[in-house]
Amino acid sequence: MSAQELQHIVIVGGGSAGWLTAGVIAAEHAAHAGARLHVTLLESPDVAPIGVGEGTWPSMRDTLARIGVSETDFVRHCDASFKQGSRFNAWVDGSEDDHYFHPFVVPHGYGEANLAARWRHMRPEAAFADLVSFQPQLCLHGRAPKQAGTPEFAAVSNYGYHLDAGKFGSFLRRHCTDKLRVRHITDHVTAVTSRPNGDIGALLTRRHGAIEADLFIDCTGSQSLLLGQHFGIPLLPQQHILFNDSAMALQLPYSDERAPIASQTLSTAQAHGWIWDIGLPTRRGIGYVYSSAHSSDEQAVNALYGYLRRTGSQHELPTPRKLSFQPGYREKFWHRNCVAIGQAAGFLEPLEASALAMVELSAATLADAMPANRAAMDIAAQRFNDAFRYRWERVIDFLKLHYVLSKRDDTGYWRENREASSIPARLQELLRLWRHQPPSRYDLHRIEEVFPAASYQYVLYGMGFETDYGDGRRRSDRPDLADAYFAEAQSLTRKMLAGLPTNRELLAHIQRHGLARR
């Protein structure tokens, strides 16, 4: 097929990763009349999706709109709620009032003035995020990110979602097969055959025989059936940097069906890891992510139960489900005619919900740069691998930043996280730089950074990192303009609190009436 046009793509594996990838590619290449490219998703009836991964980034709004999903239908069928960022509890020193926000709204006036320098000189007693953004207060008061009359996917306050991962996969499957012409095959792969040039030729299945394609996408999760097992592309372990490799997860109904729905992911540090707490309309999803080298499973369960009791759970506590993972990413993500997306490409840990964001980025990059034929595929693969190696390394830096900045000294887990041997050299270099200037777009220079410089500022200054600006002043600092932006942010906060419904109120409205289409 040296010059033959790509005609058939097979995605192996369902769940959120498989069906998101199918939707993005099909919407771009296969769903219109006369399309020459066909998309098939093959998933095994023997493999159930993991069912966690309940947090997204705001990019999910664009992804859902791109594949033609109704936000009203999505919210109704996926038990979804609105997420406006993350609140980090007990990460700095573990004290009673230790918390900060990483909101989704960039600082008000970001890029127009040196907000961080002005905050440090004039308002250091204020929380940085509170001074430069209205969103932390919306989270504290459980407000929704828009009004009932705001159209689908439009925002008053930037937002992503919390969702039921199992329901999300099923919702995407129906949309892809009903609206986007994706062929769905339920069968078990028994073998992988190769072409003379080393490409994958076909997947042999129990009931459907050989399924051929021009391009195969591996969404088989951590087993990485095609890229890992067939091609032998190794996983590059990252546990020497990110220690967590286990989680205890459970789901819990609200004690009161009218209870507030949190507008942010709650991330609460523990002795040997941290606990996520995600609010959906009908339940909470809660889990303890920890390092098995520092904590036993029994200790983890006890810590999780202790958190639930402290947060007022009145239900009989269910037995949590244990999840194990190896933090790392593949040496390559695209090899010959095979691309890995989702956990088949890698997984680090749930902190900051990067997993689904990386799926979205991978699917969009592949759809936008789809090679016309096999002759162009190796060029596309090289560019894809370069881009995603960079992205995985940046995600590692950003996640590690949370641990490096902690002053907790109660366990070896936290002390070892600050040892230089566990900190990537690139992050050490940036931290030295940021002692004298705030993070900027020059530090993270790619167009599609997973975490932009504004996110680094929120975490750095939320955790008490100090940048010494000295006595020098730059013309571009514009302190008077920074003061004006601080005042505008406070004014916006008052207006937003007065004008926005609660999360639960807006979600109830969507269930009854839906949202206006754009």
Side-chain angles (χ1 to χ4, degrees), residues 202-222:
L203 306 177
L204 304 184
T205 63
R206 285 176 185 166
R207 295 185 296 107
H208 292 78
I211 299 176
E212 298 182 345
D214 304 314
L215 179 66
F216 293 84
I217 303 177
D218 188 347
C219 293
T220 60
S222 58

Side-chain angles (χ1 to χ4, degrees), residues 100 102-103 105-107 128-129 132-133 454-462:
Y100 73 94
H102 174 198
V105 170
V106 298
F128 176 73
V132 302
S133 172
S455 291
Y456 281 82
Q457 287 200 12
Y458 279 131
V459 175
L460 281 171
Y461 301 130

Side-chain angles (χ1 to χ4, degrees), residues 95-239:
S95 61
E96 190 69 27
D97 60 349
D98 172 6
H99 76 271
Y100 73 94
F101 281 92
H102 174 198
F104 282 155
V105 170
V106 298
H108 191 60
Y110 185 73
E112 301 297 322
N114 191 339
L115 304 174
R118 190 60 173 169
W119 161 72
R120 185 77 181 89
H121 282 301
M122 299 299 295
R123 300 289 301 279
E125 78 289 349
F128 176 73
D130 274 344
L131 189 63
V132 302
S133 172
F134 56 80
Q135 205 159 38
Q137 288 299 315
L138 298 191
C139 292
L140 281 169
H141 290 84
R143 291 293 197 271
K146 58 184 181 180
Q147 296 167 319
T150 310
E152 291 195 334
F153 299 118
V156 173
S157 174
N158 197 23
Y159 69 91
Y161 306 99
H162 291 136
L163 52 84
D164 183 304
K167 292 180 179 179
F168 186 45
S170 299
F171 173 76
L172 290 171
R173 182 186 69 234
R174 290 191 299 272
H175 180 75
C176 288
T177 54
D178 292 349
K179 303 290 179 62
L180 300 178
R181 303 187 182 186
V182 175
R183 181 188 179 204
H184 181 211
I185 296 176
T186 303
D187 207 342
H188 185 77
V189 176
T190 58
V192 181
T193 66
S194 299
R195 294 194 178 112
N197 68 350
D199 284 359
I200 295 174
L203 306 177
L204 304 184
T205 63
R206 285 176 185 166
R207 295 185 296 107
H208 292 78
I211 299 176
E212 298 182 345
D214 304 314
L215 179 66
F216 293 84
I217 303 177
D218 188 347
C219 293
T220 60
S222 58
Q223 66 169 323
S224 193
L225 182 64
L226 304 184
L227 192 71
Q229 293 186 33
H230 176 73
F231 280 122
I233 304 300
L235 188 79
L236 302 180
Q238 300 298 312
Q239 205 159 353

Side-chain angles (χ1 to χ4, degrees), residues 25-49:
I25 292 174
E28 185 68 25
H29 295 281
H32 55 279
R36 294 184 180 181
L37 189 63
H38 303 283
V39 177
T40 297
L41 189 142
L42 168 64
E43 63 179 333
S44 170
D46 302 338
V47 181

